[in-house]
Amino acid sequence: QVQLQESGPGLAKPSETLSLTCTVSGYSISSGYYWGWIRQPPGQGLEWIASIYYTGNTYDNPSLRSRATVSIDTSKNQFSLKLASVTAADTAVYYCAKGARVAPNYFDYWGQGILVTVSS
Amino acid sequence: DIQMTQSPSTLSASVGDRVTITCRGSQSISSFLAWYQQKPGKAPKLLIYKTSTLESGVPSRFSGSGSGTEFTLTISSLQPDDFASYYCQQYNSHSPYTFGQGTKVENK
């Protein structure tokens, strides 16, 4: 059974960089598929942030104006998100998820989510 | 970006009702549409992909249909466990994937 778990600080200061890690168990991320980050501001809908393939190939949401960087560490079976220059608008629950195919993707397994608040 | 618009935003229904949620795209996405269910404080759960394919373990009362720009999620007989929010997501192209704004199914 594939399981994903987000980790990282629950608080970030404005203008700083938010850093999160997703640890995958039950599946080797180097076996394939894209791995993604999706966020949900409190009381709002879902927004895809970025996805990464085990080879390091990435896609990100242009709405974030290149503030998002995703990386992958196959030796630790983890992938990570860095979001630069955060503001209060970046306050959200951040989910990591597994893409269901090697192509434009929907997501079949999700982490439980981690709330990140941006505040001074 | 391809915009996805769901309707209604909120739907009041009773156990046993037939429920239909619509998702419209701002341009054609072929059949590359998924549906998720989300309960408060929980991660979304995949229900349907490629418009009408049920994810393993999802009850058969859920079904999806459509193509191009208009899609529907139908719950044939609403059960107590189905009160939740539902989101559509297009994956016609990598950048960017977009979700509908969500439909909350509440108890009438």
Side-chain angles (χ1 to χ4, degrees):
Chain A
Q1 173 79 348
V2 181
Q3 293 184 316
L4 299 93
Q5 178 70 58
E6 304 87 353
S7 60
L11 183 65
K13 288 184 166 51
S15 80
E16 295 188 343
T17 296
L18 174 166
S19 295
L20 298 173
T21 295
C22 182
T23 301
V24 180
S25 59
Y27 188 85
S28 171
I29 61 175
S30 58
S31 295
Y33 298 114
Y34 275 88
W35 303 85
W37 290 95
I38 300 103
R39 69 180 182 179
Q40 185 171 37
Q44 298 185 39
L46 300 161
E47 179 184 34
W48 171 72
I49 300 170
S51 292
I52 186 165
Y53 195 52
Y54 79 98
T55 57
N57 190 41
T58 61
Y59 293 93
D60 65 299
N61 194 327
S63 71
L64 293 170
R65 303 186 308 276
S66 301
R67 294 193 295 125
T69 303
V70 288
S71 59
I72 199 160
D73 186 339
T74 55
S75 68
K76 294 182 179 178
N77 224 38
Q78 294 176 334
F79 60 105
S80 299
L81 169 71
K82 292 187 186 299
L83 185 64
S85 305
V86 296
T87 70
D90 295 309
T91 294
V93 175
Y94 286 76
Y95 296 100
C96 59
K98 173 186 166 291
R101 57 182 200 148
V102 184
N105 255 305
Y106 57 94
F107 301 96
D108 55 358
Y109 291 93
W110 294 62
Q112 65 184 28
I114 183 169
L115 174 63
V116 179
T117 301
V118 178
S119 174
S120 55
Chain B
D1 296 6
I2 300 174
Q3 306 303 317
M4 305 303 294
T5 304
Q6 282 183 238
S7 60
S9 297
T10 306
L11 189 160
S12 296
S14 301
V15 172
D17 285 352
R18 182 180 181 87
V19 166
T20 299
I21 298 168
T22 298
C23 181
R24 290 187 174 87
S26 60
Q27 63 189 75
S28 176
I29 58 170
S30 185
S31 61
F32 297 114
L33 187 95
W35 289 98
Y36 301 87
Q37 177 193 66
Q38 187 180 33
K39 296 183 178 179
K42 300 295 187 182
K45 172 189 173 184
L46 177 67
L47 296 176
I48 288 170
Y49 59 94
K50 207 170 182 187
T51 296
S52 60
T53 303
L54 229 57
E55 175 72 344
S56 176
V58 174
S60 60
R61 63 181 179 272
F62 291 92
S63 63
S65 63
S67 67
T69 62
E70 186 152 340
F71 302 86
T72 59
L73 171 70
T74 299
I75 309 172
S76 60
S77 177
L78 193 68
Q79 297 302 300
D81 191 48
D82 301 339
F83 293 105
S85 293
Y86 294 84
Y87 293 89
C88 62
Q89 180 223 331
Q90 68 81 18
Y91 55 103
N92 183 62
S93 64
H94 276 299
S95 187
Y97 308 135
T98 47
F99 293 85
Q101 80 277 20
T103 295
K104 182 178 181 180
V105 176
E106 61 179 25
N107 201 345
K108 185 185 289 184

PDB file of all heavy atoms in Angstrom, chain B residues 65-93:
ATOM      1  N   SER B  65     -19.604  10.763 -16.593  1.00  0.00           N
ATOM      2  CA  SER B  65     -19.857  10.771 -18.031  1.00  0.00           C
ATOM      3  C   SER B  65     -19.437  12.115 -18.604  1.00  0.00           C
ATOM      4  O   SER B  65     -19.139  13.064 -17.871  1.00  0.00           O
ATOM      5  CB  SER B  65     -21.329  10.500 -18.326  1.00  0.00           C
ATOM      6  OG  SER B  65     -22.140  11.537 -17.789  1.00  0.00           O
ATOM      7  N   GLY B  66     -19.454  12.196 -19.936  1.00  0.00           N
ATOM      8  CA  GLY B  66     -19.141  13.443 -20.618  1.00  0.00           C
ATOM      9  C   GLY B  66     -17.980  13.312 -21.567  1.00  0.00           C
ATOM     10  O   GLY B  66     -17.370  12.236 -21.696  1.00  0.00           O
ATOM     11  N   SER B  67     -17.669  14.409 -22.227  1.00  0.00           N
ATOM     12  CA  SER B  67     -16.507  14.498 -23.100  1.00  0.00           C
ATOM     13  C   SER B  67     -16.375  15.934 -23.570  1.00  0.00           C
ATOM     14  O   SER B  67     -17.338  16.707 -23.503  1.00  0.00           O
ATOM     15  CB  SER B  67     -16.623  13.558 -24.299  1.00  0.00           C
ATOM     16  OG  SER B  67     -17.662  13.981 -25.151  1.00  0.00           O
ATOM     17  N   GLY B  68     -15.182  16.281 -24.038  1.00  0.00           N
ATOM     18  CA  GLY B  68     -14.989  17.630 -24.557  1.00  0.00           C
ATOM     19  C   GLY B  68     -14.914  18.669 -23.457  1.00  0.00           C
ATOM     20  O   GLY B  68     -13.885  18.826 -22.801  1.00  0.00           O
ATOM     21  N   THR B  69     -16.019  19.361 -23.242  1.00  0.00           N
ATOM     22  CA  THR B  69     -16.018  20.424 -22.233  1.00  0.00           C
ATOM     23  C   THR B  69     -17.043  20.224 -21.125  1.00  0.00           C
ATOM     24  O   THR B  69     -17.037  20.992 -20.162  1.00  0.00           O
ATOM     25  CB  THR B  69     -16.302  21.794 -22.888  1.00  0.00           C
ATOM     26  OG1 THR B  69     -17.603  21.769 -23.489  1.00  0.00           O
ATOM     27  CG2 THR B  69     -15.249  22.147 -23.936  1.00  0.00           C
ATOM     28  N   GLU B  70     -17.912  19.240 -21.228  1.00  0.00           N
ATOM     29  CA  GLU B  70     -18.958  19.080 -20.223  1.00  0.00           C
ATOM     30  C   GLU B  70     -18.972  17.671 -19.648  1.00  0.00           C
ATOM     31  O   GLU B  70     -19.024  16.678 -20.390  1.00  0.00           O
ATOM     32  CB  GLU B  70     -20.335  19.421 -20.794  1.00  0.00           C
ATOM     33  CG  GLU B  70     -21.434  19.410 -19.748  1.00  0.00           C
ATOM     34  CD  GLU B  70     -22.576  20.340 -20.067  1.00  0.00           C
ATOM     35  OE1 GLU B  70     -22.384  21.269 -20.870  1.00  0.00           O
ATOM     36  OE2 GLU B  70     -23.668  20.119 -19.517  1.00  0.00           O
ATOM     37  N   PHE B  71     -18.939  17.612 -18.331  1.00  0.00           N
ATOM     38  CA  PHE B  71     -18.815  16.348 -17.619  1.00  0.00           C
ATOM     39  C   PHE B  71     -19.759  16.326 -16.430  1.00  0.00           C
ATOM     40  O   PHE B  71     -20.105  17.379 -15.881  1.00  0.00           O
ATOM     41  CB  PHE B  71     -17.370  16.168 -17.138  1.00  0.00           C
ATOM     42  CG  PHE B  71     -16.364  16.213 -18.257  1.00  0.00           C
ATOM     43  CD1 PHE B  71     -15.865  17.424 -18.699  1.00  0.00           C
ATOM     44  CD2 PHE B  71     -15.934  15.050 -18.870  1.00  0.00           C
ATOM     45  CE1 PHE B  71     -14.964  17.481 -19.745  1.00  0.00           C
ATOM     46  CE2 PHE B  71     -15.032  15.088 -19.910  1.00  0.00           C
ATOM     47  CZ  PHE B  71     -14.549  16.310 -20.354  1.00  0.00           C
ATOM     48  N   THR B  72     -20.165  15.126 -16.034  1.00  0.00           N
ATOM     49  CA  THR B  72     -21.016  14.989 -14.863  1.00  0.00           C
ATOM     50  C   THR B  72     -20.542  13.861 -13.968  1.00  0.00           C
ATOM     51  O   THR B  72     -20.013  12.845 -14.439  1.00  0.00           O
ATOM     52  CB  THR B  72     -22.482  14.729 -15.249  1.00  0.00           C
ATOM     53  OG1 THR B  72     -22.552  13.532 -16.025  1.00  0.00           O
ATOM     54  CG2 THR B  72     -23.074  15.887 -16.016  1.00  0.00           C
ATOM     55  N   LEU B  73     -20.733  14.073 -12.677  1.00  0.00           N
ATOM     56  CA  LEU B  73     -20.569  13.031 -11.663  1.00  0.00           C
ATOM     57  C   LEU B  73     -21.960  12.759 -11.113  1.00  0.00           C
ATOM     58  O   LEU B  73     -22.667  13.693 -10.720  1.00  0.00           O
ATOM     59  CB  LEU B  73     -19.655  13.502 -10.533  1.00  0.00           C
ATOM     60  CG  LEU B  73     -19.574  12.589  -9.305  1.00  0.00           C
ATOM     61  CD1 LEU B  73     -18.837  11.297  -9.652  1.00  0.00           C
ATOM     62  CD2 LEU B  73     -18.879  13.304  -8.149  1.00  0.00           C
ATOM     63  N   THR B  74     -22.351  11.502 -11.097  1.00  0.00           N
ATOM     64  CA  THR B  74     -23.660  11.121 -10.600  1.00  0.00           C
ATOM     65  C   THR B  74     -23.515  10.132  -9.458  1.00  0.00           C
ATOM     66  O   THR B  74     -22.708   9.192  -9.538  1.00  0.00           O
ATOM     67  CB  THR B  74     -24.522  10.495 -11.710  1.00  0.00           C
ATOM     68  OG1 THR B  74     -24.704  11.455 -12.767  1.00  0.00           O
ATOM     69  CG2 THR B  74     -25.897  10.084 -11.175  1.00  0.00           C
ATOM     70  N   ILE B  75     -24.263  10.382  -8.397  1.00  0.00           N
ATOM     71  CA  ILE B  75     -24.407   9.413  -7.306  1.00  0.00           C
ATOM     72  C   ILE B  75     -25.833   8.894  -7.425  1.00  0.00           C
ATOM     73  O   ILE B  75     -26.790   9.665  -7.257  1.00  0.00           O
ATOM     74  CB  ILE B  75     -24.152  10.051  -5.935  1.00  0.00           C
ATOM     75  CG1 ILE B  75     -22.813  10.810  -5.936  1.00  0.00           C
ATOM     76  CG2 ILE B  75     -24.154   8.973  -4.847  1.00  0.00           C
ATOM     77  CD1 ILE B  75     -22.565  11.633  -4.676  1.00  0.00           C
ATOM     78  N   SER B  76     -25.985   7.622  -7.705  1.00  0.00           N
ATOM     79  CA  SER B  76     -27.311   7.096  -8.051  1.00  0.00           C
ATOM     80  C   SER B  76     -28.263   7.076  -6.859  1.00  0.00           C
ATOM     81  O   SER B  76     -29.470   7.307  -7.019  1.00  0.00           O
ATOM     82  CB  SER B  76     -27.185   5.691  -8.646  1.00  0.00           C
ATOM     83  OG  SER B  76     -26.584   4.819  -7.707  1.00  0.00           O
ATOM     84  N   SER B  77     -27.736   6.805  -5.674  1.00  0.00           N
ATOM     85  CA  SER B  77     -28.554   6.774  -4.469  1.00  0.00           C
ATOM     86  C   SER B  77     -27.665   7.220  -3.324  1.00  0.00           C
ATOM     87  O   SER B  77     -26.853   6.442  -2.820  1.00  0.00           O
ATOM     88  CB  SER B  77     -29.104   5.366  -4.217  1.00  0.00           C
ATOM     89  OG  SER B  77     -29.846   5.333  -3.009  1.00  0.00           O
ATOM     90  N   LEU B  78     -27.831   8.447  -2.926  1.00  0.00           N
ATOM     91  CA  LEU B  78     -26.938   9.070  -1.950  1.00  0.00           C
ATOM     92  C   LEU B  78     -26.958   8.307  -0.625  1.00  0.00           C
ATOM     93  O   LEU B  78     -28.032   7.986  -0.088  1.00  0.00           O
ATOM     94  CB  LEU B  78     -27.361  10.521  -1.738  1.00  0.00           C
ATOM     95  CG  LEU B  78     -26.393  11.437  -1.001  1.00  0.00           C
ATOM     96  CD1 LEU B  78     -25.147  11.695  -1.843  1.00  0.00           C
ATOM     97  CD2 LEU B  78     -27.094  12.754  -0.660  1.00  0.00           C
ATOM     98  N   GLN B  79     -25.774   8.015  -0.112  1.00  0.00           N
ATOM     99  CA  GLN B  79     -25.622   7.323   1.166  1.00  0.00           C
ATOM    100  C   GLN B  79     -25.059   8.271   2.215  1.00  0.00           C
ATOM    101  O   GLN B  79     -24.451   9.288   1.873  1.00  0.00           O
ATOM    102  CB  GLN B  79     -24.713   6.112   0.988  1.00  0.00           C
ATOM    103  CG  GLN B  79     -25.266   5.066   0.030  1.00  0.00           C
ATOM    104  CD  GLN B  79     -26.631   4.563   0.473  1.00  0.00           C
ATOM    105  OE1 GLN B  79     -26.786   4.012   1.567  1.00  0.00           O
ATOM    106  NE2 GLN B  79     -27.632   4.758  -0.389  1.00  0.00           N
ATOM    107  N   PRO B  80     -25.235   7.952   3.498  1.00  0.00           N
ATOM    108  CA  PRO B  80     -24.757   8.857   4.554  1.00  0.00           C
ATOM    109  C   PRO B  80     -23.269   9.184   4.427  1.00  0.00           C
ATOM    110  O   PRO B  80     -22.850  10.303   4.751  1.00  0.00           O
ATOM    111  CB  PRO B  80     -25.055   8.066   5.841  1.00  0.00           C
ATOM    112  CG  PRO B  80     -26.214   7.195   5.482  1.00  0.00           C
ATOM    113  CD  PRO B  80     -26.008   6.826   4.052  1.00  0.00           C
ATOM    114  N   ASP B  81     -22.479   8.240   3.929  1.00  0.00           N
ATOM    115  CA  ASP B  81     -21.042   8.461   3.810  1.00  0.00           C
ATOM    116  C   ASP B  81     -20.686   9.398   2.655  1.00  0.00           C
ATOM    117  O   ASP B  81     -19.530   9.797   2.507  1.00  0.00           O
ATOM    118  CB  ASP B  81     -20.334   7.111   3.599  1.00  0.00           C
ATOM    119  CG  ASP B  81     -18.828   7.227   3.734  1.00  0.00           C
ATOM    120  OD1 ASP B  81     -18.350   7.840   4.719  1.00  0.00           O
ATOM    121  OD2 ASP B  81     -18.108   6.723   2.844  1.00  0.00           O
ATOM    122  N   ASP B  82     -21.656   9.754   1.822  1.00  0.00           N
ATOM    123  CA  ASP B  82     -21.375  10.548   0.629  1.00  0.00           C
ATOM    124  C   ASP B  82     -21.467  12.057   0.861  1.00  0.00           C
ATOM    125  O   ASP B  82     -21.153  12.829  -0.053  1.00  0.00           O
ATOM    126  CB  ASP B  82     -22.347  10.160  -0.499  1.00  0.00           C
ATOM    127  CG  ASP B  82     -22.264   8.691  -0.871  1.00  0.00           C
ATOM    128  OD1 ASP B  82     -21.225   8.052  -0.575  1.00  0.00           O
ATOM    129  OD2 ASP B  82     -23.244   8.167  -1.441  1.00  0.00           O
ATOM    130  N   PHE B  83     -21.899  12.470   2.065  1.00  0.00           N
ATOM    131  CA  PHE B  83     -21.945  13.905   2.336  1.00  0.00           C
ATOM    132  C   PHE B  83     -20.508  14.401   2.466  1.00  0.00           C
ATOM    133  O   PHE B  83     -19.772  14.014   3.384  1.00  0.00           O
ATOM    134  CB  PHE B  83     -22.777  14.201   3.582  1.00  0.00           C
ATOM    135  CG  PHE B  83     -24.229  13.887   3.396  1.00  0.00           C
ATOM    136  CD1 PHE B  83     -24.797  12.755   3.969  1.00  0.00           C
ATOM    137  CD2 PHE B  83     -25.039  14.706   2.619  1.00  0.00           C
ATOM    138  CE1 PHE B  83     -26.139  12.450   3.778  1.00  0.00           C
ATOM    139  CE2 PHE B  83     -26.378  14.413   2.421  1.00  0.00           C
ATOM    140  CZ  PHE B  83     -26.926  13.274   2.992  1.00  0.00           C
ATOM    141  N   ALA B  84     -20.101  15.236   1.522  1.00  0.00           N
ATOM    142  CA  ALA B  84     -18.702  15.613   1.369  1.00  0.00           C
ATOM    143  C   ALA B  84     -18.623  16.687   0.290  1.00  0.00           C
ATOM    144  O   ALA B  84     -19.647  17.080  -0.282  1.00  0.00           O
ATOM    145  CB  ALA B  84     -17.864  14.404   0.967  1.00  0.00           C
ATOM    146  N   SER B  85     -17.406  17.127   0.019  1.00  0.00           N
ATOM    147  CA  SER B  85     -17.170  18.007  -1.125  1.00  0.00           C
ATOM    148  C   SER B  85     -16.575  17.204  -2.266  1.00  0.00           C
ATOM    149  O   SER B  85     -15.836  16.234  -2.034  1.00  0.00           O
ATOM    150  CB  SER B  85     -16.225  19.148  -0.736  1.00  0.00           C
ATOM    151  OG  SER B  85     -16.841  20.010   0.203  1.00  0.00           O
ATOM    152  N   TYR B  86     -16.899  17.617  -3.471  1.00  0.00           N
ATOM    153  CA  TYR B  86     -16.445  16.912  -4.667  1.00  0.00           C
ATOM    154  C   TYR B  86     -15.754  17.897  -5.599  1.00  0.00           C
ATOM    155  O   TYR B  86     -16.231  19.027  -5.796  1.00  0.00           O
ATOM    156  CB  TYR B  86     -17.627  16.241  -5.376  1.00  0.00           C
ATOM    157  CG  TYR B  86     -18.226  15.138  -4.538  1.00  0.00           C
ATOM    158  CD1 TYR B  86     -19.169  15.411  -3.550  1.00  0.00           C
ATOM    159  CD2 TYR B  86     -17.806  13.819  -4.692  1.00  0.00           C
ATOM    160  CE1 TYR B  86     -19.683  14.407  -2.750  1.00  0.00           C
ATOM    161  CE2 TYR B  86     -18.316  12.805  -3.901  1.00  0.00           C
ATOM    162  CZ  TYR B  86     -19.255  13.111  -2.929  1.00  0.00           C
ATOM    163  OH  TYR B  86     -19.746  12.111  -2.126  1.00  0.00           O
ATOM    164  N   TYR B  87     -14.630  17.460  -6.157  1.00  0.00           N
ATOM    165  CA  TYR B  87     -13.847  18.300  -7.055  1.00  0.00           C
ATOM    166  C   TYR B  87     -13.568  17.558  -8.358  1.00  0.00           C
ATOM    167  O   TYR B  87     -13.238  16.370  -8.342  1.00  0.00           O
ATOM    168  CB  TYR B  87     -12.490  18.659  -6.431  1.00  0.00           C
ATOM    169  CG  TYR B  87     -12.576  19.553  -5.222  1.00  0.00           C
ATOM    170  CD1 TYR B  87     -12.704  19.023  -3.943  1.00  0.00           C
ATOM    171  CD2 TYR B  87     -12.518  20.948  -5.364  1.00  0.00           C
ATOM    172  CE1 TYR B  87     -12.785  19.852  -2.825  1.00  0.00           C
ATOM    173  CE2 TYR B  87     -12.597  21.778  -4.258  1.00  0.00           C
ATOM    174  CZ  TYR B  87     -12.726  21.223  -2.993  1.00  0.00           C
ATOM    175  OH  TYR B  87     -12.802  22.051  -1.897  1.00  0.00           O
ATOM    176  N   CYS B  88     -13.671  18.283  -9.463  1.00  0.00           N
ATOM    177  CA  CYS B  88     -13.196  17.747 -10.730  1.00  0.00           C
ATOM    178  C   CYS B  88     -11.792  18.283 -10.990  1.00  0.00           C
ATOM    179  O   CYS B  88     -11.389  19.318 -10.438  1.00  0.00           O
ATOM    180  CB  CYS B  88     -14.140  18.100 -11.876  1.00  0.00           C
ATOM    181  SG  CYS B  88     -14.340  19.865 -12.212  1.00  0.00           S
ATOM    182  N   GLN B  89     -11.028  17.576 -11.806  1.00  0.00           N
ATOM    183  CA  GLN B  89      -9.680  17.990 -12.186  1.00  0.00           C
ATOM    184  C   GLN B  89      -9.421  17.599 -13.626  1.00  0.00           C
ATOM    185  O   GLN B  89      -9.656  16.449 -14.004  1.00  0.00           O
ATOM    186  CB  GLN B  89      -8.622  17.341 -11.292  1.00  0.00           C
ATOM    187  CG  GLN B  89      -7.187  17.751 -11.654  1.00  0.00           C
ATOM    188  CD  GLN B  89      -6.203  16.605 -11.654  1.00  0.00           C
ATOM    189  OE1 GLN B  89      -6.347  15.623 -10.921  1.00  0.00           O
ATOM    190  NE2 GLN B  89      -5.181  16.698 -12.476  1.00  0.00           N
ATOM    191  N   GLN B  90      -8.941  18.563 -14.416  1.00  0.00           N
ATOM    192  CA  GLN B  90      -8.568  18.224 -15.780  1.00  0.00           C
ATOM    193  C   GLN B  90      -7.085  17.924 -15.838  1.00  0.00           C
ATOM    194  O   GLN B  90      -6.275  18.537 -15.132  1.00  0.00           O
ATOM    195  CB  GLN B  90      -8.962  19.349 -16.757  1.00  0.00           C
ATOM    196  CG  GLN B  90      -8.192  20.649 -16.618  1.00  0.00           C
ATOM    197  CD  GLN B  90      -6.828  20.645 -17.309  1.00  0.00           C
ATOM    198  OE1 GLN B  90      -6.544  19.816 -18.165  1.00  0.00           O
ATOM    199  NE2 GLN B  90      -5.976  21.598 -16.938  1.00  0.00           N
ATOM    200  N   TYR B  91      -6.714  16.969 -16.679  1.00  0.00           N
ATOM    201  CA  TYR B  91      -5.308  16.644 -16.877  1.00  0.00           C
ATOM    202  C   TYR B  91      -5.030  16.442 -18.364  1.00  0.00           C
ATOM    203  O   TYR B  91      -4.315  15.546 -18.776  1.00  0.00           O
ATOM    204  CB  TYR B  91      -4.879  15.435 -16.028  1.00  0.00           C
ATOM    205  CG  TYR B  91      -5.685  14.169 -16.202  1.00  0.00           C
ATOM    206  CD1 TYR B  91      -5.193  13.107 -16.942  1.00  0.00           C
ATOM    207  CD2 TYR B  91      -6.930  14.016 -15.586  1.00  0.00           C
ATOM    208  CE1 TYR B  91      -5.915  11.932 -17.083  1.00  0.00           C
ATOM    209  CE2 TYR B  91      -7.654  12.838 -15.724  1.00  0.00           C
ATOM    210  CZ  TYR B  91      -7.150  11.803 -16.476  1.00  0.00           C
ATOM    211  OH  TYR B  91      -7.865  10.636 -16.615  1.00  0.00           O
ATOM    212  N   ASN B  92      -5.603  17.328 -19.150  1.00  0.00           N
ATOM    213  CA  ASN B  92      -5.406  17.254 -20.583  1.00  0.00           C
ATOM    214  C   ASN B  92      -3.979  17.590 -20.975  1.00  0.00           C
ATOM    215  O   ASN B  92      -3.447  17.092 -21.965  1.00  0.00           O
ATOM    216  CB  ASN B  92      -6.373  18.210 -21.290  1.00  0.00           C
ATOM    217  CG  ASN B  92      -6.275  18.120 -22.804  1.00  0.00           C
ATOM    218  OD1 ASN B  92      -6.541  17.079 -23.381  1.00  0.00           O
ATOM    219  ND2 ASN B  92      -5.888  19.201 -23.440  1.00  0.00           N
ATOM    220  N   SER B  93      -3.366  18.468 -20.209  1.00  0.00           N
ATOM    221  CA  SER B  93      -1.966  18.799 -20.470  1.00  0.00           C
ATOM    222  C   SER B  93      -1.274  18.984 -19.125  1.00  0.00           C
ATOM    223  O   SER B  93      -1.927  19.167 -18.096  1.00  0.00           O
ATOM    224  CB  SER B  93      -1.852  20.071 -21.306  1.00  0.00           C
ATOM    225  OG  SER B  93      -2.357  21.177 -20.585  1.00  0.00           O
TER     226      SER B  93
END
